[in-house]
Amino acid sequence: MTNIKITKMHGCGNDFVFMDYEEYLKTNLSLEELSKKICDRHFGVGADGLIIPVEYKGDDADIEWHYYNSDGTSAQMCGNGMRCFSRYVYDKKLVNKKQFSVKTLAGIIRPEILDNGLIRVNMGNPILKDELIPFKGERNIKIQDKDFDIHPVSMGNPHCIIFTKECPLDMAKKYGPEIEKHPYFPEKTNVEFVKIISKNEVEMAVYERGCGITLACGTGACATVVASVLNNLTDNNVKVNLPGGAVNIEWQGSASDSAKDVFLTGPAQYSFYADYIL
């Protein structure tokens, strides 16, 4: 048996297992195998994803991460995961400053640990070009005899935003699995159902690509506000209520000038430390 030191964290209920790279090397498993094993909620620790900090040898970022979903697939970005990652690497002194840069599959992401304990992450520009999302289809799909107007947005990973007046969580549970795998999205997609509460507040539920229903999705919250602004449904500073808590999204972009960074602010909390036995 091998003991692996792990840390469990969550951002608004979107939960992750963290381990140092040296601990990962003890496992003799691929990242795909380890993520499926350790994230299993019955036979493992239970989490939406596995995150491992990695020393970055380039000069354009301070640190790198490995991020894997619970189904063993890698993901380009995760907003809640990035907030937790930022807290983890700062507290472990893997970085020595409160503003730093992280190399991800979605590019360089820049988080900041605020004095009030929240984490503010510059998530970069949204991607709206179909071929880059990637998205290949129409802005309307039919699922289970129900028509949906869809709004594809990428935050380094693909999202399908659907505005509804019904309960977002019920809609995500019912229709999310089919939309995630819809042929319009060649790399599959995260699916967000969104109810507009006011110009500065929305309710959102998500069916995450590679995870299923989760309590929160940071990139989904960002994509939601981008789509809401582009459709004149909200202002540029929005509280996004998720099943696991709330985050704040700022985007000063518009339909005529979308090349503006999206900022995500929210909590990152520890759950526990443990020895995981392989």
Side-chain angles (χ1 to χ4, degrees):
M1 294 189 299
T2 303
N3 282 10
I4 310 297
K5 294 189 180 301
I6 64 167
T7 300
K8 180 79 179 288
M9 300 184 72
H10 75 90
C12 296
N14 197 189
D15 57 344
F16 311 95
V17 172
F18 284 82
M19 68 175 64
D20 291 347
Y21 190 71
E22 293 76 14
E23 296 294 310
Y24 162 64
L25 293 177
K26 297 178 185 177
T27 69
N28 294 315
L29 296 173
S30 70
L31 286 166
E32 293 87 346
E33 292 171 319
L34 180 60
S35 59
K36 286 191 287 187
K37 184 178 181 66
I38 205 166
C39 292
D40 189 287
R41 295 192 184 276
H42 300 286
F43 297 100
V45 176
D48 294 321
L50 168 68
I51 301 177
I52 300 174
V54 184
E55 180 183 358
Y56 184 60
K57 299 186 184 302
D59 56 8
D60 57 339
D62 296 302
I63 195 167
E64 187 176 0
W65 77 354
H66 289 319
Y67 178 89
Y68 277 76
N69 292 314
S70 58
D71 70 349
T73 58
S74 64
Q76 296 97 327
M77 243 311 280
C78 174
N80 292 315
M82 180 56 67
R83 295 201 314 277
C84 293
F85 176 85
S86 303
R87 171 65 65 192
Y88 181 86
V89 298
Y90 180 77
D91 288 350
K92 295 207 73 172
K93 303 188 186 314
L94 299 177
V95 297
N96 58 8
K97 49 191 176 182
K98 289 189 173 182
Q99 288 182 273
F100 52 94
S101 53
V102 183
K103 179 72 172 179
T104 76
L105 294 179
I108 305 298
I109 302 297
R110 294 176 171 81
E112 177 184 2
I113 300 173
L114 303 179
D115 291 340
N116 62 6
L118 298 179
I119 314 294
R120 187 173 190 254
V121 183
N122 182 340
M123 301 286 287
N125 290 183
I127 298 168
L128 303 176
K129 291 183 178 180
D130 288 0
E131 64 272 19
L132 298 179
I133 291 174
F135 172 76
K136 298 179 179 180
E138 305 298 327
R139 269 20 186 210
N140 180 275
I141 59 175
K142 191 169 189 176
I143 303 293
Q144 301 177 29
D145 295 324
K146 190 173 181 68
D147 289 313
F148 293 105
D149 291 327
I150 62 174
H151 306 272
V153 176
S154 173
M155 289 303 307
N157 55 352
H159 294 269
C160 176
I161 295 91
I162 298 171
F163 297 104
T164 181
K165 294 184 179 179
E166 300 180 51
C167 172
L169 184 56
D170 289 346
M171 298 292 279
K173 289 178 178 178
K174 184 174 183 179
Y175 300 107
E178 289 186 56
I179 299 174
E180 179 208 17
K181 301 177 178 65
H182 197 280
Y184 282 1
F185 295 91
E187 295 181 5
K188 298 197 295 186
T189 186
N190 299 280
V191 186
E192 286 81 25
F193 283 89
V194 182
K195 179 187 286 187
I196 303 297
I197 298 174
S198 72
K199 282 289 189 177
N200 298 105
E201 188 172 3
V202 302
E203 179 185 351
M204 185 198 98
V206 60
Y207 190 94
E208 281 203 55
R209 181 182 65 163
C211 297
I213 293 293
T214 60
L215 295 179
C217 177
T219 54
C222 294
T224 287
V225 172
V226 169
S228 300
V229 171
L230 292 177
N231 285 277
N232 298 312
L233 297 173
T234 65
D235 293 333
N236 301 91
N237 193 319
V238 181
K239 178 182 180 182
V240 180
N241 295 300
L242 306 154
V247 296
N248 189 79
I249 307 297
E250 304 164 64
W251 186 56
Q252 297 302 319
S254 64
S256 60
D257 184 13
S258 63
K260 301 287 187 181
D261 291 341
V262 183
F263 291 89
L264 161 68
T265 303
Q269 297 173 301
Y270 290 96
S271 299
F272 58 80
Y273 308 95
D275 286 342
Y276 179 66
I277 301 174
L278 278 174

